[in-house]
Amino acid sequence: MKSLIRILGIPIDLGQKKRGVDMGPGAIRYAGLSSRLQKLGYHVEDRGNIHVPVRESVREVDLLDTIHQACERVYQSAKELTAEDGSISIFLGGDHSTAIGTIGGLTHNSARGVIWVDAHGDFNTLDNSPSGNVHGMALSSLLGMGSKKLVNIGRPGAKLNPDDTVLIAIRELDPAEKTCLKQSGVKVYTMRDIDEQGMKMVAQSALKHLVHMPEIHVSLDMDSLDPSIAPGVGTPVPGGITYREAQLLMEMIADTERCRSLDIVEINPLIDHQNQTAKSAVDLAGSLFGQRII
């Protein structure tokens, strides 16, 4: 029997305005995540969902405080999961504000390299965000930028170092976000890099960049895939990675045997086609944790 995998759902849709991503954890479970992992030899323990208030019950003026409180609960849960027995953790979002809590908690006792797979940089702050959506501030908050209410979730200050962070599949950035990201020191691979170099070279380069990190966390936003493959996402952007490119990336990360945790975020079943996006997420999770063609 392989390692224990613990699953935690985070049905949060407070970080953006389109309803439906709070149903993501249920959609991924319905698509057969637990059974897929069990077939790979893992013992799977599903811890259910973190409580998150329904968006309609939250006044706009209280939104940031409510996200802070939800991510505090996520932080403590992620911290406890890593402290228990070295098991693998999978977190099912919800929008990408989920990661402020998950990565914060996972890094409470030791640093962890992060591969952030996303169409967007999530590098805005409250001061420069055109939309004000917190799911677009998740990575900047983890790096210590922006609102103290987001930065100081769980413990004061940054949770990640720029040198320990890699972005892959980026193709849509706001103007101020682009400037901040260029100055941050974070390693970024855009869709042009993937087009020119191929996913194999990008994945090799990303993993070489994180070779100093003993453990890796993957934060997988399903909008990183092209909308033809993953139509059920909160903020689709044309020109994303193909299914095989995504699967190759997961397989190459798996080859390192250093991936100990995963976020799957931004699945919106209300606009999906027969749960296609959640099914793809389950396939990619399988590849990340050992499923092979032969």
Side-chain angles (χ1 to χ4, degrees):
M1 181 71 75
K2 293 184 180 179
S3 301
L4 170 65
I5 293 182
R6 290 193 170 95
I7 297 172
L8 183 67
I10 306 160
I12 186 169
D13 67 349
L14 305 175
Q16 44 83 67
K17 297 179 176 67
K18 186 180 290 185
R19 295 308 313 275
V21 293
D22 57 321
M23 302 177 189
I28 300 168
R29 289 181 172 113
Y30 183 73
L33 177 62
S34 290
S35 60
R36 177 69 59 88
L37 296 170
Q38 287 166 351
K39 287 177 182 177
L40 293 172
Y42 292 96
H43 175 66
V44 179
E45 181 183 302
D46 195 323
R47 292 281 181 99
N49 288 348
I50 291 285
H51 171 69
V52 181
V54 175
R55 187 179 181 96
E56 282 79 4
S57 69
V58 180
R59 297 184 306 166
E60 194 69 25
V61 69
D62 296 328
L63 198 56
L64 188 62
D65 284 337
T66 306
I67 293 171
H68 172 90
Q69 292 162 10
C71 286
E72 282 279 358
R73 289 191 289 272
V74 175
Y75 182 106
Q76 295 303 324
S77 295
K79 173 187 169 184
E80 290 167 8
L81 289 185
T82 56
E84 285 183 8
D85 50 20
S87 60
I88 293 169
S89 303
I90 299 180
F91 303 96
L92 311 179
D95 66 55
H96 218 155
S97 61
T98 293
I100 303 174
T102 61
I103 294 174
L106 291 168
T107 59
H108 184 86
N109 293 313
S110 60
R112 189 169 297 204
V114 170
I115 298 178
W116 192 281
V117 190
D118 202 323
H120 309 89
D122 294 350
F123 222 73
N124 280 312
T125 66
L126 284 175
D127 291 333
N128 64 30
S129 171
S131 68
N133 291 337
V134 172
H135 74 158
M137 307 174 195
L139 186 54
S140 58
S141 298
L142 287 164
L143 286 159
M145 300 168 53
S147 167
K148 296 302 181 185
K149 195 170 287 288
L150 299 175
V151 169
N152 292 333
I153 286 171
R155 65 183 191 272
K159 311 306 187 292
L160 290 176
N161 293 317
D163 288 344
D164 303 340
T165 310
V166 174
L167 275 70
I168 295 178
I170 304 302
R171 58 190 183 276
E172 185 173 76
L173 296 169
D174 295 316
E177 183 183 30
K178 187 182 298 186
T179 300
C180 291
L181 194 52
K182 284 180 177 179
Q183 296 171 348
S184 69
V186 171
K187 190 70 172 175
V188 180
Y189 298 93
T190 68
M191 280 308 304
R192 176 169 178 170
D193 295 318
I194 295 171
D195 291 340
E196 291 181 344
Q197 301 175 35
M199 181 58 83
K200 176 184 176 182
M201 296 298 294
V202 165
Q204 285 178 337
S205 179
L207 291 168
K208 183 179 179 180
H209 185 76
L210 295 176
V211 70
H212 61 291
M213 301 302 297
E215 295 183 329
I216 290 174
H217 173 80
V218 174
S219 199
L220 176 61
D221 188 322
M222 288 301 290
D223 71 23
S224 60
L225 279 75
D226 191 79
S228 63
I229 308 299
V233 296
T235 49
V237 182
I241 54 179
T242 67
Y243 177 79
R244 260 312 303 169
E245 286 172 332
Q247 196 168 51
L248 176 61
L249 176 60
M250 297 299 114
E251 289 170 345
M252 291 179 69
I253 297 170
D255 289 343
T256 70
E257 299 184 346
R258 290 186 288 140
C259 183
R260 304 300 301 169
S261 50
L262 168 68
D263 299 322
I264 305 174
V265 300
E266 298 287 356
I267 293 176
N268 189 337
L270 295 180
I271 55 175
D272 205 4
H273 302 158
Q274 298 181 324
N275 216 27
Q276 176 182 340
T277 305
K279 291 175 183 176
S280 294
V282 169
D283 289 341
L284 294 176
S287 295
L288 185 62
F289 294 112
Q291 183 172 307
R292 294 291 178 268
I293 296 170
I294 189 170

